[in-house]
Amino acid sequence: MYKINGKTDLLSLDIPELENFLADIGEPKYRAKQIFSWMHRGVGLDGMTNLSKKLRETVAERAVVNLPTVEQKLVSKLDGTVKYLFGLWDGNVIESVFMRYKHGNTICISSEVGCPMGCKFCASTIGGLVRKLLPSELLGQVIAAQNDMGERISNIVMMGIGEPLDNYDNVVKFLKLVGDPEGLNIGSRHISLSTCGLVDKIDELAKLDLQITLSISLHAADDETRSSIMPVNNRWRIAELLDACRRYFAATGRRISFEYTLIAGKNDSPEYARRLAATLKHGLYKNSQPFPIHVNLIPVNEVAETGFTRSGSAAVNEFARILGTLGINATVRRKLGSDINASCGQLRRARLKADESENQTAENI
Ligand code: SAH
């Protein structure tokens, strides 16, 4: 089912699937919970001391425990935010960010290596999609960061590299694994999923009736502007996306968040703030009862390749103020880890660039 170099990827399996795996090698069911709980504490086969050496060897012939390695770790001197560059079994790297909030430790995880969505301001999509992450690799980021920090992680945001709904099946499996009381036990109320707006997948997710918070990367209030910075808008227009948000709320009762990246001269004028309020109200509520939403304003992180400039703080505050007067709940995202390139995609880019120039140097010699 989940394979790595022809071997079973044990950490992607839930307990019933592990029981089947064990049955195939003639082992009793109860071992499944033992192996599950070791793996979810970040322990590989060698460290599973309540299993006989022989059993560990038999398992190792057919399976692997796929945990990432810490390739690089940057600690912010400003706020203690920690950024990890994790190495995967095939040499790819991804990023995760550990943040301390009053409500608990939070990790921002990646969902894919690279990203196929092509948003014009984003560092993660330069170079496109390399591959989707396995459930074990989604989970591994949480396990590895928690072990390295020695502190419990209680909240997860899927806002790192990649589009989580483009990796739908593995993400749903991950949500199941991470909520298991035998493992990390992080329930869906403590998880946010950010999407650029894959409408078909939002509807599928709504049907699962999980309590995760949906965060929509909107970034524009009209189709022309949104299409010019987010190619996904050519597939589903803003009105279709907001319809899906309404259905998601109807199914789950969860407040929906909207991300709005402020780009100087592009979408940050008072006129755009008024347009955003009107678009949200019209698109979401139509003739029905308003439901709770929240807008996160994020001054764009300047990425060398994209050429976008962040809005000044006066423009940002004015934008937020106008939304407030129009009855839209909005806050400016507090920027954590600004001294360590904490915005996702940038550290992996830097590593890829370094590798490229190393290769070029090697070729030159
Ligand atoms: N693919 C998902 C999640 C990953 S990005 C999504 O699109 O939501 C997480 C958030 O960061 C998204 O809102 C994304 O649009 C935003 N983002 C990407 N690049 C950014 C940049 N350079 N500055 C500010 N926000 C950015």
Side-chain angles (χ1 to χ4, degrees), residues 177-201:
L177 293 172
V178 81
D180 196 306
E182 300 287 335
L184 293 176
N185 196 16
I186 303 177
S188 44
R189 285 185 171 272
H190 301 278
I191 300 177
S192 293
L193 184 151
S194 180
T195 176
C196 65
L198 306 186
V199 165
D200 54 347
K201 299 297 178 192

Side-chain angles (χ1 to χ4, degrees), residues 23-47:
D24 286 346
I25 56 170
E27 287 293 326
K29 265 186 170 184
Y30 72 89
R31 296 268 180 225
K33 271 191 189 166
Q34 292 176 332
I35 295 177
F36 189 88
S37 116
W38 280 119
M39 290 192 298
H40 288 237
R41 280 183 273 147
V43 178
L45 281 171
D46 289 344

Side-chain angles (χ1 to χ4, degrees), residues 284-322:
L284 290 172
Y285 305 147
K286 301 219 159 118
N287 300 321
S288 64
Q289 193 65 8
F291 59 84
I293 60 164
H294 185 263
V295 174
N296 275 313
L297 299 172
I298 318 159
V300 76
N301 286 304
E302 294 175 6
V303 176
E305 289 88 340
T306 64
F308 289 125
T309 315
R310 54 195 289 129
S311 310
S313 57
V316 173
N317 292 336
E318 180 60 3
F319 202 96
R321 192 192 65 77
I322 294 172

Side-chain angles (χ1 to χ4, degrees), residues 44-341:
L45 281 171
D46 289 344
M48 300 186 182
T49 47
N50 57 354
L51 268 55
S52 72
K53 193 151 181 283
K54 180 153 179 313
L55 172 57
R56 282 183 265 153
E57 282 168 5
T58 313
V59 173
E61 277 164 25
R62 291 149 229 251
V64 289
V65 176
N66 181 30
L67 286 162
T69 51
V70 178
E71 290 289 308
Q72 205 181 336
K73 178 181 173 184
L74 301 175
V75 182
S76 167
K77 292 192 178 67
L78 303 174
D79 49 45
T81 296
V82 179
K83 176 138 193 174
Y84 289 99
L85 189 70
F86 283 125
L88 307 178
W89 58 275
D90 60 356
N92 277 304
V93 290
I94 49 168
E95 296 170 36
S96 318
V97 184
F98 172 96
M99 295 161 285
R100 281 198 189 85
Y101 287 109
K102 279 196 211 85
H103 58 272
N105 293 327
T106 299
I107 188 167
C108 173
I109 64 167
S110 295
S111 52
E112 300 181 308
V113 180
C115 182
M117 302 315 304
C119 298
K120 295 283 196 289
F121 43 82
C122 181
S124 303
T125 197
I126 303 169
L129 176 70
V130 177
R131 69 172 175 85
K132 301 176 185 199
L133 293 182
L134 291 158
S136 59
E137 294 168 326
L138 299 165
L139 197 58
Q141 299 170 65
V142 190
I143 297 171
Q146 179 165 280
N147 274 4
D148 184 73
M149 293 302 297
E151 292 175 44
R152 178 171 148 78
I153 290 173
S154 51
N155 300 283
I156 299 171
V157 296
M158 306 192 78
M159 286 195 183
I161 298 171
E163 167 52 50
L165 296 185
D166 181 55
N167 189 12
Y168 183 82
D169 292 341
N170 290 350
V171 164
V172 169
K173 182 67 179 289
F174 158 73
L175 295 172
K176 183 171 179 207
L177 293 172
V178 81
D180 196 306
E182 300 287 335
L184 293 176
N185 196 16
I186 303 177
S188 44
R189 285 185 171 272
H190 301 278
I191 300 177
S192 293
L193 184 151
S194 180
T195 176
C196 65
L198 306 186
V199 165
D200 54 347
K201 299 297 178 192
I202 293 173
D203 282 334
E204 272 191 54
L205 196 64
K207 281 192 211 119
L208 300 182
D209 194 18
L210 296 170
Q211 289 293 297
I212 59 175
T213 300
L214 192 61
S215 206
I216 303 288
S217 296
L218 193 61
H219 303 321
D222 61 84
D223 283 320
E224 196 188 330
T225 308
R226 192 164 194 266
S227 297
S228 76
I229 51 176
M230 298 182 72
V232 68
N233 201 65
N234 295 312
R235 174 81 196 276
W236 289 287
R237 299 279 151 178
I238 292 176
E240 293 170 275
L241 176 56
L242 297 181
D243 274 345
C245 291
R246 190 151 37 89
R247 292 192 291 271
Y248 188 85
F249 176 79
T252 65
R254 299 289 288 170
R255 177 177 91 157
I256 295 186
S257 284
F258 292 91
E259 321 284 328
Y260 191 97
T261 295
L262 288 157
I263 305 171
K266 181 85 184 164
N267 63 359
D268 66 340
S269 68
E271 164 57 22
Y272 270 97
R274 287 188 281 274
R275 212 182 282 178
L276 177 61
T279 300
L280 286 172
K281 284 183 195 168
H282 174 76
L284 290 172
Y285 305 147
K286 301 219 159 118
N287 300 321
S288 64
Q289 193 65 8
F291 59 84
I293 60 164
H294 185 263
V295 174
N296 275 313
L297 299 172
I298 318 159
V300 76
N301 286 304
E302 294 175 6
V303 176
E305 289 88 340
T306 64
F308 289 125
T309 315
R310 54 195 289 129
S311 310
S313 57
V316 173
N317 292 336
E318 180 60 3
F319 202 96
R321 192 192 65 77
I322 294 172
L323 288 179
T325 60
L326 296 170
I328 301 284
N329 187 358
T331 46
V332 179
R333 162 99 33 100
R334 192 158 63 97
K335 196 165 168 23
L336 292 175
S338 49
D339 55 333
I340 54 165
N341 242 350

